[in-house]
């Protein structure tokens, strides 16, 4: 998680770099400086590209020092004060106004880091730089609101379809956009029942379909069968008349790192994907990422004269700190680090199911999920103590990367 790693070669290098940096050395260390204007120039955007951490310890330490240097240079762009890695940015109101890819007249932003994070997620879901558009949202709900709004704008007469176990924000979107929403039954696992989906599609063949696909449901962690949903749409005569938004709040970031998991990719006819940044990534502020095809966003994008930019976001003003935290985490962990986190979560989730059953508590776990279901405790004090999320007679625990076997045993 951000800021929670143990001291090692990389951290030692960062600390040493911080100690060496003096205000008198600012120009030499930071590079370009406009002497006449008295301002520091933002490092070029390409310098912020997310890179995989080296395996070699010495190279990893050098990379950590490079990261510290980039953050210090960015900090100096905001205000020339001595750096202290991530906490230094908390004293600034960093606002990423409007389109992340278009410069505005507001200078206190973190757009280069935001774009670097977006590039990383676009690659994860098989979209090239010139094929995608996206932004860092305030939360997973905003990602769903944006993805489903794109579907509504592309198909104004469309009907929304979502399983009954979809996140409540999906149904909120239907109400906000005044779109007819058809709830689809689910299997016992929580996955969308494609037989019921087909039945309800055939009752509305005259209207395009806007479909929410769950990549991990809220309570059970179930994954809707994306391939079967696409096949069902085509079999029912909806070819070229559907829009699919994938809500991957938690599991959307886990699936690409599980070999046997169904692949969520823009090589399939999906329209958008959203994930949360404060869940599996552990960002200390609520945030998320939404990625869509570049041609889709034109239906939302408008010129905003007073910003000297364009905007296609839901909120307009956006937290500029979140991209910094996400950028740092991606550079620190890389693909290998995230894959290890995913494997640890799945392994520990299975261990928790085993331990619960061992003491006589009914428990279950969906395949490829880190969400453990068990019978709701009778004592509400116990529920409140452990902040258990409950629905009816079941409760769940989401086993995250910071949870160890020792914690589960205790």
């Amino acid at each position: 998680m951000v800021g929670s790693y143990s001291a090692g070669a990389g951290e030692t290098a960062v600390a040493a770099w911080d100690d060496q940096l003096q205000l008198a050395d600012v120009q030499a260390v930071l590079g370009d400086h406009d002497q006449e204007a008295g301002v520091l120039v933002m490092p070029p955007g390409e310098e912020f590209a997310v890179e995989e951490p080296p395996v070699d310890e010495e190279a990893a330490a050098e990379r950590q020092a490079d990261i510290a240097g980039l953050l210090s240079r960015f900090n100096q762009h905001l205000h020339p004060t001595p750096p202290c890695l991530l906490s230094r940015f908390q004293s600034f109101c960093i606002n990423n106004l409007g389109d992340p890819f278009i410069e505005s007249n507001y200078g206190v932003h973190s757009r280069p880091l935001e774009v670097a994070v977006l590039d990383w997620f676009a690659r994860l879901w098989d979209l090239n730089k010139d094929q995608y558009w996206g932004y860092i949202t305030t939360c997973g709900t905003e990602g769903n609101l944006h993805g489903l709004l794109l579907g509504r704008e592309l198909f104004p007469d469309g009907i929304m379809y979502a399983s009954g176990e979809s996140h409540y924000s999906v149904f909120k979107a239907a109400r906000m956009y005044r779109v007819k929403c058809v709830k689809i039954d689910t299997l016992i696992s929580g996955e969308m029942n494609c037989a019921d989906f087909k039945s309800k599609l055939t009752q509305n063949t005259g209207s395009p379909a806007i479909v929410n696909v769950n990549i991990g449901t809220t309570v059970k962690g179930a994954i809707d069968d994306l391939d079967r949903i696409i096949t069902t749409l085509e079999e029912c005569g909806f070819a070229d008349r559907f829009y699919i938004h994938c809500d991957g709040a938690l599991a959307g970031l886990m699936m690409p790192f599980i070999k046997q998991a169904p692949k969520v990719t823009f090589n399939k006819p999906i329209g958008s994907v959203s994930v949360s940044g404060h869940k599996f990534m552990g960002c200390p502020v609520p945030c998320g990422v939404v990625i869509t095809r570049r041609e889709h966003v034109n239906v939302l994008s408008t010129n905003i004269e007073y910003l000297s930019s364009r905007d296609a976001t839901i909120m307009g003003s956006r937290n500029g700190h979140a991209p910094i935290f996400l950028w740092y985490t991606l550079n620190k962990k890389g693909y290998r680090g995230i894959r290890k986190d995913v494997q640890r979560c799945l392994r520990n989730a299975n261990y928790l199911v085993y331990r619960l059953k061992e003491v006589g508590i009914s428990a279950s776990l969906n395949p490829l999920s880190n969400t453990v279901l068990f019978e709701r405790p009778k004592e509400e004090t116990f529920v409140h103590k452990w902040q258990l999320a409950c629905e009816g007679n079941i409760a769940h625990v989401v086993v995250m990367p910071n949870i160890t076997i020792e914690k589960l045993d205790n």
Side-chain angles (χ1 to χ4, degrees):
M1 298 301 181
V2 173
S4 63
Y5 63 98
S6 59
E11 187 174 359
T12 302
V14 171
W17 191 94
D18 275 352
D19 291 341
Q20 294 168 7
L21 184 63
Q22 302 295 325
L23 281 177
D25 300 325
V26 164
Q27 184 176 351
V29 175
L30 301 184
D32 295 337
H33 185 279
D34 187 336
Q35 295 285 359
E36 184 174 345
V39 295
L40 292 150
V41 179
M42 172 84 78
E46 59 268 18
E47 289 193 30
F48 291 106
V50 173
E51 298 179 7
E52 190 69 5
V55 176
D56 178 74
E57 287 190 10
E58 185 175 345
E62 292 178 358
R63 175 57 183 160
Q64 284 295 315
D66 289 342
I67 290 172
L70 280 169
L71 289 175
S72 292
R73 291 176 65 188
F74 178 67
N75 180 70
Q76 292 289 338
H77 167 72
L78 299 175
H79 188 67
T81 55
C84 52
L85 209 53
L86 291 177
S87 61
R88 73 192 77 171
F89 301 109
Q90 295 303 315
S91 59
F92 302 108
C93 177
I94 309 176
N95 191 339
N96 287 6
L97 288 164
D99 194 309
F101 302 92
I102 301 175
E103 190 74 21
S104 75
N105 56 15
Y106 186 75
V108 187
H109 63 80
S110 61
R111 280 200 303 274
L113 287 84
E114 179 174 19
V115 171
V117 171
L118 296 172
D119 286 346
W120 188 91
F121 278 96
R123 289 195 303 272
L124 187 68
W125 296 316
D126 301 314
L127 276 180
N128 296 325
K129 282 189 176 184
D130 61 347
Q131 295 176 314
Y132 88 90
W133 186 90
Y135 70 101
I136 293 179
T137 63
T138 56
C139 59
T141 287
E142 186 181 351
N144 288 340
L145 291 176
H146 193 273
L148 295 169
L149 178 60
L150 283 171
R152 200 284 304 271
E153 292 298 286
L154 290 166
F155 296 108
D157 58 339
I159 294 176
M160 192 181 297
Y161 296 86
S163 85
E165 299 211 19
S166 297
H167 190 261
Y168 70 87
S169 62
V170 173
F171 306 108
K172 177 193 290 187
R175 293 194 302 273
M176 289 175 65
Y177 305 148
R178 299 190 180 277
V179 176
K180 178 182 177 181
C181 184
V182 177
K183 282 189 181 182
I184 309 301
D185 294 342
T186 58
L187 305 176
I188 188 66
S189 64
E191 174 188 337
M192 181 186 285
N193 184 332
C194 283
D196 187 56
F197 179 48
K198 184 174 184 178
S199 172
K200 287 170 179 172
L201 278 176
T202 56
Q203 298 172 26
N204 299 286
T205 54
S207 300
I210 303 166
V211 187
N212 180 76
V213 174
N214 295 308
I215 313 300
T217 57
T218 308
V219 176
K220 298 180 180 178
I223 300 168
D224 292 341
D225 190 334
L226 175 59
D227 291 339
R228 191 173 177 190
I229 288 171
I230 293 170
T231 299
T232 301
L233 286 161
E234 293 173 343
E235 288 176 349
C236 292
F238 284 82
D240 301 322
R241 292 194 306 128
F242 67 84
Y243 181 95
I244 292 176
H245 170 69
C246 296
D247 175 10
L250 172 62
L253 190 52
M254 297 174 63
M255 293 301 103
F257 299 95
I258 304 173
K259 287 183 179 179
Q260 64 271 37
K263 194 165 177 60
V264 177
T265 169
F266 280 89
N267 291 329
K268 299 174 182 179
I270 63 175
S272 51
V273 182
S274 64
V275 295
S276 295
H278 56 286
K279 293 178 182 173
F280 198 82
M281 292 285 288
C283 186
V285 294
C287 62
V289 172
V290 63
I291 298 290
T292 186
R293 299 178 189 274
R294 179 172 290 186
E295 64 267 23
H296 289 345
V297 81
N298 292 330
V299 298
L300 294 180
S301 187
T302 55
N303 284 315
I304 310 298
E305 183 179 359
Y306 84 94
L307 296 179
S308 298
S309 183
R310 294 179 65 81
D311 186 37
T313 68
I314 295 288
M315 301 304 294
S317 288
R318 294 175 291 109
N319 185 344
H321 294 86
I324 302 173
F325 295 131
L326 292 174
W327 179 87
Y328 177 78
T329 302
L330 291 175
N331 275 289
K332 178 175 174 290
K333 290 181 178 290
Y335 290 104
R336 286 189 303 274
I338 296 175
R339 183 175 289 109
K340 287 180 180 178
D341 282 349
V342 170
Q343 292 169 348
R344 185 187 309 113
C345 288
L346 296 179
R347 183 171 59 250
N348 289 350
N350 278 279
Y351 177 78
L352 177 57
V353 171
Y354 164 76
R355 292 287 283 122
L356 288 170
K357 289 182 176 179
E358 191 177 46
V359 295
I361 298 173
S362 176
S364 64
L365 178 69
N366 268 313
L368 313 179
S369 175
N370 61 330
T371 301
V372 176
L373 300 175
F374 55 96
E375 55 190 274
R376 179 173 183 160
K378 294 180 180 179
E379 296 181 6
E380 286 301 312
T381 53
F382 185 88
V383 171
H384 288 299
K385 176 182 178 180
W386 295 103
Q387 302 177 46
L388 296 179
C390 301
E391 187 175 86
N393 61 352
I394 64 172
H396 80 191
V397 165
V398 182
V399 182
M400 299 300 278
N402 63 312
I403 300 300
T404 63
I405 293 294
E406 290 72 25
K407 285 184 180 180
L408 295 175
D409 282 337
N410 292 332

